[in-house]
Amino acid sequence: MLWDDIGAITQEFDRTWGRAVPMDSPQLSKMISRRFVLRYLAPSTGTRIACLDGRFMGATLVRAVGQTPLFPRAEEELRELDRELALSDAGRHALHGMALQRDIDVQMEQDSGVDRDSDAELELFLVAADARGHGVGGGLWRAMLEEFAGAGVQCFHLHTDSDCDMGFYDHQRMTCVAQRNISDADDADLVLFAPEISCIYAGETEQILGHAQQTGRTETDRTETDHTETSRISRASRAAQLDITEQPNHTAAARKDGAR
């Protein structure tokens, strides 16, 4: 990832989770989305971005304990954006809501003990809408796990919520170690992008990596089998055309697998 990629990440973040709150303002929504991205990026010690023909397809931002953040400039940009948001009532309301949401996240980490037991955190896992269902999320996930394993990260955690595909983490055999109904929070109406449920998932790198690699091999085998079967049918169809002037139209369906 390069610093210039922040614009594309912010645009997709806003497209995926942005909401024009507390006022109907797309500009405010984009500013809030950029702030979230900068907050996730500021402590990140590892980043990976997926692109296709120069178009953003997805990204992971991770923070490993004891490593140096890659983009110290993010802290300065974050402070400048906060000053800009504070100039309006709507912006100050947004800052209040984001601070409340952050407090909830920190309290959940402390209550679960994950803040002291984890070697790393997946700060942001984002897959572009156009890339979902094509294996981009799975590829980013496995690449992250391999980097964790190489760096000696034994355990890691992440925050997610009911606005995301939490079932993906269940499928990856991670454990939900904390769960909170946001509507139970004080001033819940100020919590931006408020999902019904907020969770923390945690797991052991080697165990999850082994499962992800096995899942990837199984999907590859299935895809190769599908292609082989499609080729066999195609060859048979071409041969049949020598004797049959009219035949059914066989269409091969593409398998779609994605994290989100």
Side-chain angles (χ1 to χ4, degrees):
M1 174 183 167
L2 302 175
W3 179 261
D4 290 343
D5 293 321
I6 291 178
I9 296 174
T10 298
Q11 182 177 358
E12 191 59 43
F13 188 100
D14 194 60
R15 181 182 179 185
T16 303
W17 294 300
R19 298 173 186 172
V21 290
M23 298 177 64
D24 186 14
S25 170
Q27 181 180 1
L28 177 61
S29 180
K30 291 178 182 178
M31 291 175 68
I32 293 171
S33 293
R34 182 175 176 84
R35 190 187 188 279
F36 271 107
V37 171
L38 286 170
R39 183 167 71 81
Y40 297 138
L41 181 63
S44 293
T45 60
T47 61
R48 180 176 288 268
I49 190 167
C51 297
L52 176 64
D53 297 330
R55 294 181 295 124
F56 173 78
M57 293 287 106
T60 53
L61 309 181
V62 302
R63 174 187 60 84
V65 175
Q67 295 186 13
T68 303
L70 294 176
F71 296 97
R73 177 180 171 184
E75 289 283 4
E76 179 182 348
E77 294 277 343
L78 191 56
R79 289 191 293 269
E80 178 60 33
L81 184 56
D82 283 355
R83 286 192 289 268
E84 187 176 352
L85 283 167
L87 295 176
S88 67
D89 290 340
R92 287 191 293 273
H93 189 85
L95 287 172
H96 185 186
M98 285 183 279
L100 176 61
Q101 189 172 8
R102 180 60 176 167
D103 289 343
I104 292 173
D105 289 345
V106 170
Q107 189 62 54
M108 290 174 65
E109 289 182 349
Q110 293 174 349
D111 292 345
S112 65
V114 74
D115 58 333
R116 64 174 181 272
D117 298 333
S118 181
D119 300 317
E121 178 179 1
L122 174 55
E123 295 279 348
L124 177 64
F125 183 17
L126 174 63
V127 178
D130 295 341
R132 291 171 204 160
H134 296 282
V136 174
L140 285 168
W141 177 256
R142 287 189 293 274
M144 179 198 72
L145 293 172
E146 290 168 358
E147 290 179 357
F148 277 170
V153 172
Q154 297 181 357
C155 302
F156 71 99
H157 73 282
L158 57 91
H159 288 260
T160 189
D161 54 57
S162 51
D163 280 348
C164 304
D165 181 8
M166 295 192 296
F168 173 77
Y169 303 113
D170 292 320
H171 179 67
Q172 295 298 326
R173 299 185 179 177
M174 296 191 73
T175 301
C176 181
V177 297
Q179 180 170 309
R180 176 84 179 262
N181 189 326
I182 298 299
S183 63
D184 293 337
D186 295 335
D187 297 326
D189 59 315
L190 295 179
V191 180
L192 301 181
F193 308 104
E196 181 180 356
I197 301 293
S198 182
C199 296
I200 298 178
Y201 277 79
E204 298 182 4
T205 300
E206 292 292 346
Q207 178 182 355
I208 298 170
L209 175 58
H211 174 71
Q213 290 175 334
Q214 180 60 43
T215 301
R217 284 194 293 270
T218 301
E219 291 174 352
T220 299
D221 290 344
R222 288 175 179 172
T223 301
E224 290 176 350
T225 300
D226 290 345
H227 284 314
T228 300
E229 181 64 12
T230 300
S231 297
R232 185 189 65 78
I233 293 174
S234 296
R235 289 196 300 271
S237 297
R238 286 195 298 271
Q241 287 176 356
L242 296 174
D243 301 317
I244 301 175
T245 58
E246 187 173 333
Q247 59 183 5
N249 181 24
H250 297 279
T251 302
R255 297 184 66 255
K256 293 187 177 181
D257 305 292
R260 302 186 116 170

